[in-house]
Amino acid sequence: MDKVFTSGNHCIAEAAIRAGCRCYFGYPITPQNELGEYMAANMRKVGGVFLQSESETAAINMVIGAASVGTRVLTSSSSPGVSLKQEGLSFLSGFEFPAVVVNMMRGGPGLGNIAPAQGDYFQATRGGGHGDYRTPVLAPASVQELADLTVKAFDLADKYRTPILLLGDGMMGQMKEPVVFPEPITGLPEKPWALKGRGDGASRYHASLILDSLEMERHNWKLVRKYREMAEKETLYELYMMEDADFVVVAYGTTARIAKGAIKRARKDGLKVGMVRPITLFPFPDKILQKVARQVKHFLVFEMSTGQMVEDVKMALDGLQTELSFHGRPGGVIPTPIEFSRVIHRYYRRMQK
Amino acid sequence: MELVNKWPKYYKQDVVTHYCPGCGHGIVHRIVAELLEEMDLGKQAYLVCPAGCAVLAYRYFDFDVIESAHGRGTAIATGAKRANPKLFVISYQGDGDLSAIGTAETIHSANRGENICVVFINNAVYGMTGGQMAPTSLIGQSTTTSPAGRNPDVDGYPLHITDVVAEFPGVTYAERVSVATPAGIRKTKKAIRNAFQTQVDGLGYSIVEVLSACPTNWKMDPVTSCKWIEEEMVKEYKPGLLTDKREERRKEKG
Ligand SMILES: Cc1ncc(C[n+]2csc(CCOP(=O)(O)OP(=O)(O)O)c2C)c(N)n1
Ligand code: SF4
Ligand SMILES: [Mg+2]
């Protein structure tokens, strides 16, 4: 397969089509409009459905409809729109329907701005809607990874019967890089639970309403078991320059890219810095952080927010003897590798004292 | 002797209804089940039930059913029908569901002319949550949130959403009926049959608004409730055909 030069938003759309996604529902919002536009241009060519909905709320409910009949389905948006999708995410989780939801985050709260930010981490990883559920979250850091993780998101969604969030930001969506697309899939997994009309068999229904509280409790714990299984089998992370590191940066997505530049600089100055880059944000790769804690003295969490993932790092390191600090640039500010390498220097010097 | 009144094939037998005595939902449920059998649509039927008293419709319907978040029925129906056009898709909704919280979904699914059927139960109150004022409540109607009667100065006017969508080019068939009398029940069945046939023929969106009793929240007995529909409700919501563009649509499609 040839390399093509493409933007993150186009890349997700193309990868989704190759992953067998045949329905896309969405409402325009910057900085992810190119995704829907690519779907508008290409989905119908493969016999699929593109529909520009009247709102993100409508879009996510159309997703529920398409998912319920067994179709691979995608919706995408950015922060304010993803807030409107929370109702549907809660229902998808309750129904245990597979779907992929993209959030190309922007500055907030409110309308905020259209610059890249990572302020929706809590919303994404905690289960941003009502009720006792979580959404698995994949956080790519390159256009190639957007392609690979889009395909993976559909597979995980089907395997675990859960909505999966693909969490990027304006930078991920807009930047162009060379990418090798996976070959289109040839078959879809069986979905015996999907509603296809009863035919000659028994009728079925899907309801999130569970009036019996003991039964509701059982359903809640069932979801938890599913998340635990995912934590065991599906947790993903990247280790960067960790062999001899005594100081580690924890960053995901765009900030991890910036951190790599900063770490290279710091390495030139002789600092033994490495990075753990969580790729799944939920399940969070806490085991590797605990392992790394035996090797390094200092953790520096770097986010384009006021500090959200840092709480997961804190929880992962609970009870362990290490130092933890945080550097954040919220609001759509894109920090530079130089800026961040200075931050690394500062904390590194402190650690050595 | 021939048994005339048979149990509908697509209605479960071993269940006790949760609907109150005199409630219109049960009547319309039976009509839907009968028609799916008569029109041989039960095998590919997919019905969206609403948040509202009909949320438990899957207890009775013996074909595939999905539940909807409050008001989102036609969005779910849109997603399902677009994803699998072979399904026969019905969105069953109450008046709070369809004309308050789900107004945007109602208007836009209608305007897109989705090839789905909407069965709209107008009982002029929020039944499930205990009889609060709905957009459809009559002027002067007393509800738990309009205890002194609906006052248009502060509460606005009864919303005629079926009349609104009937104006849309995308809406092929719209009719308002009532299940307050045996004649009305027969008309209701005929209207829903037309709506169903519209989808079967691929002619687009159809909606049937059914004026339906909620004795419990109206604080009336079932007989008085039916009278109230016949004497009061029909003054505001006149039963009749609101649009029938099936012939036009057929010509367009060739
Ligand atoms: C988002 C949301 N808001 C409120 C509710 C509570 N609720 C459930 S049903 C309902 C009203 C139902 O009234 P209607 O649609 O007229 O149906 P009926 O029960 O009268 O048949 C409300 C407000 C809900 N389930 N979800
Ligand atoms: S509350 Fe009203 S709508 Fe609900 S079941 Fe009872 S009579 Fe029917
Ligand atoms: Mg009602």
Side-chain angles (χ1 to χ4, degrees), chain A residues 23 25 49-55 57-58 61-62 64-66 68-69 71 87 91 95 97 194-200 202-209 211, chain B residues 9-10 12 42-46 55-56 58-59 61-70 72 75-76 78-80 82-84 87 104-106 108-109 112 114:
Chain A
C23 281
F25 305 102
V49 174
F50 165 82
L51 197 161
Q52 183 174 315
S53 60
E54 60 270 32
S55 68
T57 309
N61 282 282
M62 291 172 189
I64 292 176
S68 74
V69 304
T71 305
E87 170 187 273
F91 276 79
F95 285 133
F97 285 166
L195 299 181
K196 296 181 172 133
R198 64 172 286 181
D200 294 317
S203 65
R204 283 169 311 167
Y205 66 85
H206 286 287
S208 68
L209 182 82
L211 291 171
Chain B
K9 183 173 164 195
Y10 294 113
K12 289 176 185 162
K43 288 181 183 178
Q44 74 253 40
Y46 172 105
V55 68
L56 295 171
Y58 53 80
R59 284 194 184 168
F61 288 142
D62 208 2
F63 47 86
D64 283 359
V65 176
I66 187 170
E67 158 214 282
S68 156
H70 196 20
R72 316 293 176 223
I76 295 181
T78 296
R82 294 279 188 126
N84 184 356
L87 291 172
E105 286 79 4
T106 301
H108 289 279
S109 58
R112 287 190 304 268
E114 296 293 338

Side-chain angles (χ1 to χ4, degrees), chain B residues 18-25 52-54 121 123 125-128 130 212-218:
Chain B
H18 78 284
Y19 294 116
C20 309
C23 175
H25 276 299
C53 279
I121 307 298
N123 56 16
V125 282
Y126 285 16
M128 188 188 217
S212 167
C214 176
T216 303
N217 288 306
W218 294 355

Side-chain angles (χ1 to χ4, degrees), chain A residues 180-257:
Chain A
V180 179
F181 281 111
E183 288 299 322
I185 61 151
T186 46
L188 286 173
E190 281 293 311
K191 295 183 184 174
W193 50 266
L195 299 181
K196 296 181 172 133
R198 64 172 286 181
D200 294 317
S203 65
R204 283 169 311 167
Y205 66 85
H206 286 287
S208 68
L209 182 82
I210 303 176
L211 291 171
D212 183 298
S213 34
L214 285 175
E215 213 182 300
M216 187 75 234
E217 185 189 36
R218 271 197 294 280
H219 186 62
N220 290 135
W221 288 122
K222 180 184 172 204
L223 295 182
V224 167
R225 282 196 299 280
K226 181 156 84 176
Y227 305 143
R228 283 204 192 118
E229 188 188 339
M230 290 190 80
E232 250 170 60
K233 296 185 185 158
E234 314 293 351
T235 303
L236 294 173
Y237 54 85
E238 182 200 359
L239 297 180
Y240 180 71
M241 296 196 174
M242 281 305 296
E243 295 76 27
D244 60 342
D246 54 11
F247 182 108
V248 64
V249 172
V250 187
Y252 71 95
T254 292
T255 36
R257 293 173 69 96

Side-chain angles (χ1 to χ4, degrees), chain B:
Chain B
M1 216 164 61
E2 194 199 346
L3 182 62
V4 179
N5 192 10
K6 291 191 200 111
W7 196 270
K9 183 173 164 195
Y10 294 113
Y11 209 91
K12 289 176 185 162
Q13 301 213 10
D14 50 353
V15 284
V16 178
T17 183
H18 78 284
Y19 294 116
C20 309
C23 175
H25 276 299
I27 303 172
V28 183
H29 279 24
R30 183 172 173 125
I31 289 174
V32 168
E34 282 179 358
L35 284 171
L36 290 179
E37 183 177 355
E38 288 165 26
M39 299 174 79
D40 196 18
L41 292 168
K43 288 181 183 178
Q44 74 253 40
Y46 172 105
L47 181 139
V48 190
C49 64
C53 279
V55 68
L56 295 171
Y58 53 80
R59 284 194 184 168
Y60 316 115
F61 288 142
D62 208 2
F63 47 86
D64 283 359
V65 176
I66 187 170
E67 158 214 282
S68 156
H70 196 20
R72 316 293 176 223
T74 50
I76 295 181
T78 296
K81 184 74 180 182
R82 294 279 188 126
N84 184 356
K86 283 190 218 126
L87 291 172
F88 180 78
V89 177
I90 305 161
S91 182
Y92 185 106
Q93 300 182 253
D95 46 332
D97 193 75
L98 181 142
S99 73
I101 195 166
T103 309
E105 286 79 4
T106 301
I107 297 271
H108 289 279
S109 58
N111 190 49
R112 287 190 304 268
E114 296 293 338
N115 193 28
I116 58 173
C117 301
V118 179
V119 177
F120 169 27
I121 307 298
N122 180 359
N123 56 16
V125 282
Y126 285 16
M128 188 188 217
T129 40
Q132 294 84 2
M133 183 179 66
T136 43
S137 298
L138 304 191
I139 305 230
Q141 186 182 340
S142 119
T143 70
T144 59
T145 50
S146 59
R150 182 177 190 166
N151 172 2
D153 289 347
V154 285
D155 303 323
Y157 295 86
L159 183 60
H160 292 231
I161 195 146
T162 315
D163 301 76
V164 173
V165 300
E167 297 293 319
F168 297 174
V171 174
T172 305
Y173 189 89
E175 184 163 355
R176 186 181 293 114
V177 289
S178 128
V179 286
T181 61
I185 292 172
R186 280 194 294 277
K187 273 193 192 142
T188 301
K189 188 164 175 182
K190 211 170 137 215
I192 298 180
R193 184 192 297 277
N194 287 342
F196 281 11
Q197 193 60 45
T198 302
Q199 182 179 162
V200 170
D201 295 342
L203 300 179
Y205 193 94
S206 57
I207 178 168
V208 176
E209 174 179 340
V210 184
L211 306 182
S212 167
C214 176
T216 303
N217 288 306
W218 294 355
K219 307 204 168 20
M220 297 174 193
D221 62 58
V223 175
T224 316
S225 298
C226 288
K227 269 203 196 121
W228 192 73
I229 294 179
E230 286 299 290
E231 284 163 16
E232 299 300 326
M233 239 182 135
V234 296
K235 282 193 219 150
E236 182 70 44
Y237 302 107
K238 197 167 162 271
L241 187 64
L242 300 173
T243 193
D244 184 357
K245 310 186 186 86
R246 286 179 293 173
E247 281 319 306
E248 278 166 58
R249 222 18 55 81
R250 247 187 266 277
K251 275 185 206 131
E252 273 166 30
K253 303 225 166 203

Side-chain angles (χ1 to χ4, degrees), chain A residues 38-56:
Chain A
Y38 189 95
M39 287 300 196
N42 294 288
M43 193 50 121
R44 288 173 192 158
K45 287 186 204 158
V46 295
V49 174
F50 165 82
L51 197 161
Q52 183 174 315
S53 60
E54 60 270 32
S55 68
E56 290 84 354

